[in-house]
Amino acid sequence: DVVMTQSPLSLSVTLGQPASISCRSSQSLVYSDGNTYLNWFQQRPGQSPRRLIYKVSNRDSGVPDRFSGSGSGTDFTLRISRVEAEDVGVYYCFQGTRWPPTFGQGTKVEIK
Amino acid sequence: EVQLVESGGDLVQPGGSLRLSCAASGFTFSDYWMSWVRQAPGKGLEWVATINQDESVKSYVDSVKGRFTISRDNAKNSLYLQMSSLRVEDTAKYYCSRGSSWSASDWGQGTLVAVSS
């Protein structure tokens, strides 16, 4: 199975400051069709997961532009340019390129 | 607006069975792959199973293979997960998700399955 390793596992950020989460996969996530099926999900306390980013860097509808995704191959990053109170929660990277699909352990973001 | 509403979660004894349902609305259900994902209490997310539009493709993670069956009824806009030989480690909130592992674009609110004697 592809192992997704996130760092850090916990992040305490001052409001208005940037935040960055790293995600590394144990195998390349480039699929045979040329796409890289790496998504990012946000799970706010008590809520269901919500997809923020798909295929590395595509922001979902309604997702604030302070969220951005980047990376390639086995190395990916989710950035929040200016953290807001509503960004508190757990963030998961996820690979859908290889079966079985796998998630990272999650990164808990809190406000300092 | 896409809506996915799961139901059927319950407390069940080890070795028991349960059938989860997911009612979909706000999109053309028969056009989409659908999936189940679970989350044990206080833990991370685990993909469970995926089904394509006409049920010709069904895929499972190893931990549920042979015990769980994913199915759908396009006429009823519904997705199902038949779970048997349940184990304590199957205790989780089960989410219905629109799309295959390539997308998982929308999620329901989840239904809780507790396996305990």
Side-chain angles (χ1 to χ4, degrees), chain B residues 14-91:
Chain B
S17 298
L18 208 55
R19 189 200 199 202
L20 305 183
S21 299
C22 170
S25 60
F27 63 102
T28 304
F29 181 74
S30 57
D31 284 349
Y32 287 84
W33 288 63
M34 296 292 295
S35 302
W36 288 99
V37 183
R38 68 184 179 183
Q39 186 170 35
K43 301 294 184 183
L45 298 162
E46 180 186 24
W47 201 269
V48 174
T50 296
I51 187 169
N52 75 337
Q53 292 90 333
D54 66 2
E55 297 192 280
S56 60
V57 177
K58 299 180 183 182
S59 299
Y60 304 90
V61 294
D62 283 350
S63 57
V64 308
K65 206 173 289 183
R67 300 187 299 121
F68 290 11
T69 301
I70 190 171
S71 64
R72 64 192 295 160
D73 185 333
N74 288 338
K76 294 184 178 179
N77 292 336
S78 292
L79 176 72
Y80 306 104
L81 186 68
Q82 178 68 47
M83 304 185 295
S84 60
S85 302
L86 282 161
R87 304 168 181 169
V88 170
E89 55 265 34
D90 295 319
T91 294

Side-chain angles (χ1 to χ4, degrees), chain A residues 83-98:
Chain A
V83 171
E84 296 190 7
E86 65 178 18
D87 300 336
V88 165
V90 180
Y91 292 78
Y92 296 92
C93 61
F94 165 79
Q95 70 82 20
T97 296
R98 302 180 188 277

Side-chain angles (χ1 to χ4, degrees), chain A residues 39 43 48 51 94 96 99 101, chain B residues 39 45 60 101-103 108-109:
Chain A
N39 299 344
Q43 189 172 31
S48 304
R51 196 180 71 179
F94 165 79
W99 193 269
Chain B
Q39 186 170 35
L45 298 162
Y60 304 90
S101 58
W102 290 353
S103 52
Q109 86 292 344

